[in-house]
Amino acid sequence: MKRLYLLLFLPLLMVGCKGEKKLARYNEMYQQEPTVIYVAPLNDLSMRRAVRETVDSVYNASLNIASRQLYLTATDPLASHGYYVLGPLASAQIAATETRTGRQLRNDNINDLHTDLGIDAVLFIDLINWSHTSNSWSVEAEYVLRSTVTGVELLHVHVNATKILPTDYNGNPKPLKDDLEFAKQYGCDLETAQRCRLVEIMNQYVLKDLPAGKRARKHEAEQYAKPHPEYFNLRIHRDGSVERLKDEEL
């Protein structure tokens, strides 16, 4: 009955409301109502430096740590948004026994993950590129959430995110309090802390746009909210606020 209701009223919703709503963008998610999500191993496509000096090794190590942070913190916004997300140990066991390549998981039939393991959807993340300036750090990534029941994409987002620091009178970046606390807590340098906090904030912003899971209180109420576009750019300001940029602001 719920599926029939959506099919009947979706055309009216798209015509009668100004701008696309979550009910239209995430139509398949509202119909399927996935509960259990598996985050597949990160597909890291970003380049590393050829190691000629110590600074190259330090840079590569920073990217490796931040890439791992991107993967590990993707579960948090999903869990807080009402989904059951497989933990690191269970995810590692699934990845270790999976015989299909990442490309095959994205394109071939993955219904066995649903029938055998109870997984409703798989989240794929491509880390495409890193870049930085003297006081900013940027990352480009793509998110795809694919149903194990029908094989359709429930989410497809391409994002460029940048974290900016204030500078002193000499133009040197001035870390924020949260940056310093992060570096102290995890025992990393400040540059690595910038990248780790950048991807963590990006995960929160991208994945919390998904419809809330069935266990979340706002599951029904948010259907008519406006979703994020499929391609967008983020800027994390000096005060920690997050802004989605228009094309002309790039």
Side-chain angles (χ1 to χ4, degrees), residues 64-85:
N64 292 339
I65 293 171
S67 298
R68 181 168 177 78
Q69 182 76 356
L70 172 60
Y71 175 73
L72 292 177
T73 58
T75 61
D76 296 341
L78 294 172
S80 65
H81 214 40
Y83 296 96
Y84 178 79
V85 188

Side-chain angles (χ1 to χ4, degrees), residues 4 12 26-27 32 39 54 65 102-104 123 151 154 157 161 183 209 230 243 246-247 250:
L4 179 59
L12 295 176
Y26 298 113
N27 178 36
Q32 297 185 34
V39 182
T54 302
I65 293 171
R103 182 183 294 274
Q104 289 173 327
L123 177 64
L154 306 174
V157 169
D209 187 57
E230 292 187 15
E243 176 190 11
K246 299 177 181 179
D247 291 342
L250 300 181

Side-chain angles (χ1 to χ4, degrees), residues 52-134:
R52 296 184 177 89
E53 300 177 1
T54 302
V55 65
D56 298 322
S57 297
V58 172
Y59 175 80
N60 290 343
S62 178
L63 296 194
N64 292 339
I65 293 171
S67 298
R68 181 168 177 78
Q69 182 76 356
L70 172 60
Y71 175 73
L72 292 177
T73 58
T75 61
D76 296 341
L78 294 172
S80 65
H81 214 40
Y83 296 96
Y84 178 79
V85 188
L86 300 186
L89 181 58
S91 296
Q93 291 175 331
I94 292 175
T97 57
E98 180 59 65
T99 58
R100 288 166 292 197
T101 65
R103 182 183 294 274
Q104 289 173 327
L105 284 174
R106 288 207 184 191
N107 298 290
D108 294 352
N109 188 314
I110 54 173
N111 186 251
D112 58 291
L113 294 177
H114 178 72
T115 57
D116 298 345
L117 301 175
I119 297 170
D120 300 315
V122 180
L123 177 64
F124 301 95
I125 304 177
D126 287 347
L127 199 170
I128 300 170
N129 187 47
W130 294 99
S131 60
H132 67 278
T133 66
S134 60

Side-chain angles (χ1 to χ4, degrees), residues 80-83 211-223:
S80 65
H81 214 40
Y83 296 96
K214 289 188 292 184
R215 295 187 299 159
R217 292 182 178 179
K218 59 181 180 180
H219 176 64
E220 299 291 339
E222 66 170 10
Q223 296 181 12

